């Protein structure tokens, strides 16, 4: 089992790096298309420049994968030893080991998805910065039933063009370019949009208990925060409910 997991981890790292390069090149092409649609302006970087961006982009990939691998190994060993010590049925032990493997593969899949999205957005930001046409970009959140509260509250936020995109695992927000000679763009931002949807939909996004705090007048922007992850860097998160309840206990 451990040998298989080791081989899978190495394969996953190689595959994700390949997909990251593809995401980087695709992001540059999409950035060109967006600027052309807005201003009929196309600045095409050399293929080598785009490839260099893909290869030199800082990535926590190896650390994340092998941390996940280490946790999986420990969990598998623990389950195996527990099964032996307690004299469990081999079938029950095998099922537990299978569950442990599935959890590890799920974690690696989450890492892969996050790395693809991160590579795409950072490559697009770098392309925008290299054009010299933009002073920054704004966050565009996906306003649907799966949007996270942190992304919704930060929808429309402006970032300087040299600032890396702040995100969380498997985030789906996009960059909206802002030209040097233009003011910030305006649309129905997330903190405005959420007031227009049904209470049921609001609860799907926030959770029932957090929604009740919101209905009591607790501002949405006090329910989120920026955190600095030692591996991924800056990111947004929705403050855990137990922390909010302590903070606003009456």
């Amino acid at each position: 089992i451990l040998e298989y997991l080791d081989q899978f981890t190495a394969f996953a790292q190689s595959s994700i790096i390949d997909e990251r390069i593809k995401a980087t090149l695709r992001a540059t092409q999409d950035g060109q298309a967006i600027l052309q649609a807005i201003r009929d302006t196309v600045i095409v970087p050399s293929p080598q420049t785009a490839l260099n961006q893909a290869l030199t982009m800082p990535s926590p990939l190896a650390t994340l994968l092998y941390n996940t691998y280490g946790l999986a190994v420990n969990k598998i060993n623990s389950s195996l030893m527990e099964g032996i010590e307690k004299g469990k049925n081999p079938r029950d032990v095998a099922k537990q080991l299978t569950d442990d493997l599935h959890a590890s593969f799920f974690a690696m899949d989450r890492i892969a998805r996050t790395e693809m999205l991160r590579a795409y957005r950072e490559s697009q930001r770098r392309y925008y910065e290299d054009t010299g046409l933009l002073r920054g970009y704004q966050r565009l959140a996906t306003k649907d039933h799966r949007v996270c509260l942190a992304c919704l509250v930060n929808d429309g936020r402006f970032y300087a063009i040299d600032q890396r995109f702040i995100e969380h695992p498997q985030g789906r927000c996009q960059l909206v370019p802002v030209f040097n000679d233009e003011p910030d763009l305006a649309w129905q931002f997330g903190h405005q949009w959420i007031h227009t949807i049904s209470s049921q939909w609001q609860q799907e996004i926030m959770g029932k208990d957090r929604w009740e705090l919101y209905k009591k007048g607790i501002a949405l922007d006090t329910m989120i925060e920026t955190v600095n992850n030692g591996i991924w860097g800056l990111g947004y998160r929705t403050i855990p409910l137990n922390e909010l309840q302590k903070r606003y206990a009456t």
Side-chain angles (χ1 to χ4, degrees):
I1 292 176
L2 298 183
E3 181 180 356
Y4 174 74
L5 183 59
D6 192 30
Q7 292 174 353
F8 178 81
T9 303
F11 169 77
Q13 183 175 3
S14 175
S15 298
I16 294 172
I17 290 173
D18 288 343
E19 290 302 317
R20 189 178 68 193
I21 292 174
K22 294 177 183 177
T24 298
L25 298 176
R26 186 169 63 251
T28 301
Q29 294 170 353
D30 290 349
Q32 294 172 22
I34 290 171
L35 294 190
Q36 183 175 22
I38 298 174
R39 282 285 185 94
D40 196 23
T41 299
V42 180
I43 296 179
V44 181
S46 70
Q48 188 61 44
T49 298
L51 183 59
N52 285 341
Q53 285 190 353
L55 295 176
T56 60
M57 185 181 302
S59 172
L61 181 60
T63 301
L64 287 165
L65 285 177
Y66 282 98
N67 282 350
T68 302
Y69 166 81
L71 291 173
V73 169
N74 291 338
K75 181 61 177 173
I76 289 169
N77 285 334
S78 176
S79 296
L80 190 57
M81 291 302 297
E82 181 182 1
I84 293 173
E85 290 173 358
K86 294 184 177 180
K88 290 185 177 180
N89 185 299
R91 291 181 179 176
D92 293 335
V93 175
K95 181 180 182 304
Q96 182 60 54
L97 294 179
T98 300
D99 291 343
D100 294 342
L101 277 175
H102 284 168
S104 177
F105 293 153
F106 175 80
M108 289 185 182
D109 178 71
R110 185 168 181 258
I111 291 169
R113 291 173 184 272
T114 299
E115 180 68 5
M116 297 303 98
L117 293 167
R118 190 185 71 88
Y120 179 92
R121 283 188 291 260
E122 176 59 11
S123 297
Q124 194 169 74
R125 185 201 65 77
R126 287 187 179 189
Y127 167 72
Y128 287 153
E129 183 178 16
D130 289 344
T131 66
L133 298 173
L134 308 177
R135 63 185 181 87
Y137 58 90
Q138 288 172 254
R139 174 183 296 269
L140 177 63
T142 303
K143 301 179 186 69
D144 60 11
H145 291 264
R146 296 194 296 124
V147 66
C148 88
L149 187 60
C151 291
L152 204 57
V153 171
N154 283 290
D155 181 45
R157 180 182 289 273
F158 175 86
Y159 305 84
I161 195 60
D162 61 350
Q163 182 177 354
R164 294 187 62 177
F165 196 68
I166 301 176
E167 192 52 289
H168 59 75
Q170 300 191 92
R172 297 178 297 143
C173 292
Q174 299 296 324
L175 290 70
V176 178
V178 180
F179 286 87
N180 292 324
D181 58 351
E182 288 185 347
D184 292 0
L185 305 175
W187 58 84
Q188 187 181 54
F189 298 136
H191 68 275
Q192 300 165 326
W193 171 82
I194 200 166
H195 298 305
T196 70
I197 62 178
S198 68
S199 296
Q200 181 179 352
W201 193 347
Q202 291 173 348
Q203 291 181 58
E204 287 182 35
I205 294 172
M206 301 183 202
K208 186 175 186 299
D209 292 334
R210 190 175 283 105
W211 176 81
E212 289 179 348
L213 290 174
Y214 159 73
K215 295 304 289 184
K216 289 179 180 179
I218 304 302
L220 294 178
D221 60 1
T222 66
M223 297 185 186
I224 67 165
E225 63 183 359
T226 303
V227 295
N228 194 346
N229 182 284
I231 296 177
W232 287 112
L234 290 179
Y236 294 126
R237 78 158 185 161
T238 301
I239 299 173
L241 182 61
N242 61 335
E243 292 184 27
L244 287 175
Q245 290 174 329
K246 289 179 182 178
R247 185 180 301 178
Y248 297 109
T250 55

